[in-house]
Structure formats: C-alpha cells, structure tokens
Amino acid sequence: MAHLANVRFVINAIEREQEIAAMVSKHIEFFENNNIRFTRPVQSVDEEYDAEQYETYKIRLETEWTKREQGFTERLLTFFQRPADLQFTVELSNYGPLGFYNEKSNTITVNLNTHLDPVRTIMHEMVHIMLEPFIQKYRIEHNAKESIVNAVVGFLA
C-alpha cells in the first residue's frame, strides 16, 4: 500500500517529549495570541510518560490513516512537484499544539490529546511542510498561512 510507504509513525521517547514541553514553555505567548490550543505537562514529563498510551494511539492512528488516506499523499506530492518517495515522519506526543510540523525533517507531530480529527491534522501539517518555503519567501502571517493551508487541504483531500 503506497499510502503507508511515505508515512512512518513513531512514538516519542521521553527526551523528545521534554524537548516539546520546553518548546511549549518558550512559545506560550504566541500560542495564546493566535488562539492555538496546546497541552503541557501538569506534573513532569517523566511522571506523565505512558508508553502503553502512545502505543495504543499509534496503532489506532495507523489504522485510520490506512483507511482514510485514499491517495492524498500522492496527490500532494504531485501537486507540489515533489519526489513520489518523499518520506514523512508522524511523531506522537502528549504535549504541544494539537498538530505541528518541522519542514526541515518532514516531521509532523500529532498531540494525543487533540479533539481534532488526527488524520485531517496529518494532512494539514503535510501541506504546511510543502508550503513553508513559499510562506517564508513571502513572509505570510499566521492567519493567512492557515487559510492557504486549509484551502489546499480541501482541494487535495
């Protein structure tokens, strides 16, 4: 199945969770000013880390992705004229915004606590990765960027 060939789901180690929690602490003002929902540790990452919870979520999300991806990744890569074998990593976290991305590593982070549809979140973040060079080049502000991403997702999904 080609749709899983481009996407690898991973469970974050405690160290990565600590990095995300630290990032959240540094960007709280931005998140709040832009109405971005996020989570952070109530106690400490070490106390809250539950590998079984991550594994259960990963299995469920992989199953949902397989059922619902329906050629989205192929359309995305074709639309942006990117190689058909481009790889994305979807990491699962207990912290941070409900979904976010790193365009340098093609990594999408999905928050286990999201109230949003995680499959749509992955698609949304994949489009962010593809659009980021354009966003940077033209210095597009946050709300406009989200509108553009949502329009492209709607077109490709």
Side-chain angles (χ1 to χ4, degrees), residues 29-126:
E29 189 175 328
F30 173 81
F31 297 148
E32 289 175 344
N33 289 343
N34 288 284
N35 296 317
I36 297 171
R37 292 180 62 173
F38 64 93
T39 60
R40 59 184 173 172
V42 175
Q43 300 164 359
S44 73
V45 173
D46 290 341
E47 291 173 286
E48 294 179 4
Y49 191 84
D50 179 355
E52 194 174 302
Q53 175 193 19
Y54 288 75
E55 185 60 35
T56 300
Y57 192 87
K58 177 180 177 262
I59 291 166
R60 195 172 87 233
L61 186 52
E62 285 173 326
T63 301
E64 278 300 301
W65 179 256
T66 301
K67 277 194 257 178
R68 296 180 42 215
E69 187 272 350
Q70 300 179 347
F72 174 83
T73 306
E74 182 181 354
R75 289 189 300 280
L76 175 76
L77 297 175
T78 300
F79 183 79
F80 285 100
Q81 300 179 339
R82 300 293 299 272
D85 61 351
L86 185 71
Q87 293 293 300
F88 295 92
T89 299
V90 176
E91 65 177 2
L92 307 176
S93 179
N94 206 22
Y95 310 111
L98 304 181
F100 60 100
Y101 64 97
N102 179 328
E103 74 281 357
K104 292 175 182 67
S105 64
N106 292 340
T107 300
I108 296 155
T109 306
V110 174
N111 190 317
L112 303 172
N113 304 293
T114 186
H115 66 286
L116 303 172
D117 174 353
V119 170
R120 287 294 277 200
T121 298
I122 293 168
M123 292 174 177
H124 178 95
E125 301 305 330
M126 289 169 100

